[in-house]
Amino acid sequence: MALRPAHLNIKALDASAVGRFWAEALGWSAYSAGVSTYVGPAGGLVWPDPVVVGIDVVPVPEPKTATKNRVHFDLATTSAAHQAELIARLKDRGARPVDVGQGADVPWTVLADPEGNEFCVLEPREIHRDTGPVAVMVVDCADPRAMARFWGEALDWTLHEVTDEHALFRSPKGVGPYLEFLRTPGVKTVPDRIHLDLLPYPGDDKEAEVSRLRALGATDLDLGQGDVPWTCLTDPEGHEFCVLALP
């Protein structure tokens, strides 16, 4: 048994506007699915997508309060010209440069979306040539090796590299983005504005998966969600995530 990332969940004051921004950023489409806005590849809503990890933008009444999110996206580019064009286009759509301590000499650019969620537009890298527009989903952490142990058991994704500085996962199909747990100063003090939603495979039992995650070190989380078909948990460093019910 194992789970797969179904999408990244972003909380937003204006889910429609944030969804449109990310659709523009990724060259995807924004689909209105109830109160949330789902962002995925153009051509019609497919969920769960067999290749990409989509984005589900969910309206909430609270604005972003953290100085820096503990979860963010890195966007892929194919050339220096593409990187410059993407940065300029996103600034025109409401992105703004932000300083998260990256320094002046890094080859990537750090921006924030219209509600302040940070993301990086990377320089071209060979490792990201076939990821699609999202190169990496990055989770700040204190102990990448411990995160590799937990998430390596939680997910069916392949661990490509683990060091004291980071742990890097990708789908065993060799498609879509990477998931990176990056050693980062600071500690988590507020709920994550962005989190992973996980999904069982057909034929697997959701409650059995949740029990397995608890045995691995996950903790139940009460956000006032009430009686819902998904289960909210936190990993050993307190990052929130949800286990969804099969569609």
Side-chain angles (χ1 to χ4, degrees), residues 10-13 18 21-22 63-72 94-100 110-119 193-194:
I10 300 180
K11 298 180 177 70
L13 291 172
V18 172
F21 173 87
W22 282 105
K64 178 177 180 283
T65 57
T67 303
K68 175 181 176 292
N69 284 337
R70 300 286 288 177
V71 181
H72 74 267
R96 57 181 176 82
V98 292
D99 184 355
V100 294
V110 184
L111 301 173
D113 74 11
E115 293 200 4
N117 299 301
E118 303 87 1
F119 64 98
R193 199 71 177 174
I194 302 173

Side-chain angles (χ1 to χ4, degrees), residues 57-211:
V57 187
V58 178
V60 295
E62 306 87 7
K64 178 177 180 283
T65 57
T67 303
K68 175 181 176 292
N69 284 337
R70 300 286 288 177
V71 181
H72 74 267
F73 306 101
D74 286 348
L75 304 190
T77 61
T78 57
S79 66
H82 178 211
Q83 183 185 21
E85 182 276 330
L86 181 57
I87 291 166
R89 179 159 49 86
L90 294 179
K91 287 180 178 177
D92 286 343
R93 298 299 188 273
R96 57 181 176 82
V98 292
D99 184 355
V100 294
Q102 70 269 24
D105 297 327
V106 296
W108 60 86
T109 296
V110 184
L111 301 173
D113 74 11
E115 293 200 4
N117 299 301
E118 303 87 1
F119 64 98
C120 299
V121 181
L122 301 179
E123 77 285 1
R125 300 181 186 181
E126 179 63 21
I127 192 175
H128 301 148
R129 60 184 170 80
D130 62 352
T131 60
V134 178
V136 193
M137 304 173 290
V138 183
V139 181
D140 294 349
C141 70
D143 188 343
R145 293 187 185 276
M147 288 293 95
R149 289 191 292 271
F150 175 82
W151 286 96
E153 292 290 336
L155 302 177
D156 72 336
W157 282 24
T158 301
L159 180 62
H160 282 257
E161 183 177 13
V162 60
T163 69
D164 290 342
E165 298 304 315
H166 81 150
L168 193 66
F169 290 88
R170 198 184 190 194
S171 165
K173 299 176 183 177
V175 297
Y178 289 87
L179 173 63
E180 181 177 28
F181 294 90
L182 182 66
R183 185 178 180 185
T184 308
V187 296
K188 185 175 181 294
T189 58
V190 298
D192 291 329
R193 199 71 177 174
I194 302 173
H195 70 258
L196 276 171
D197 283 345
L198 310 181
L199 190 67
Y201 282 90
D204 286 348
D205 182 86
K206 171 183 167 288
E207 294 309 319
E209 286 291 320
V210 169
S211 295

Side-chain angles (χ1 to χ4, degrees), residues 15-16 18-33 36-46 49 52-57 133:
S16 295
V18 172
R20 290 193 300 271
F21 173 87
W22 282 105
E24 174 69 23
L26 304 178
W28 289 353
S29 295
Y31 304 94
S32 294
S36 67
T37 298
Y38 186 80
V39 179
L45 177 61
V46 176
D49 193 282
V52 309
V53 178
I55 297 172
D56 193 34
V57 187

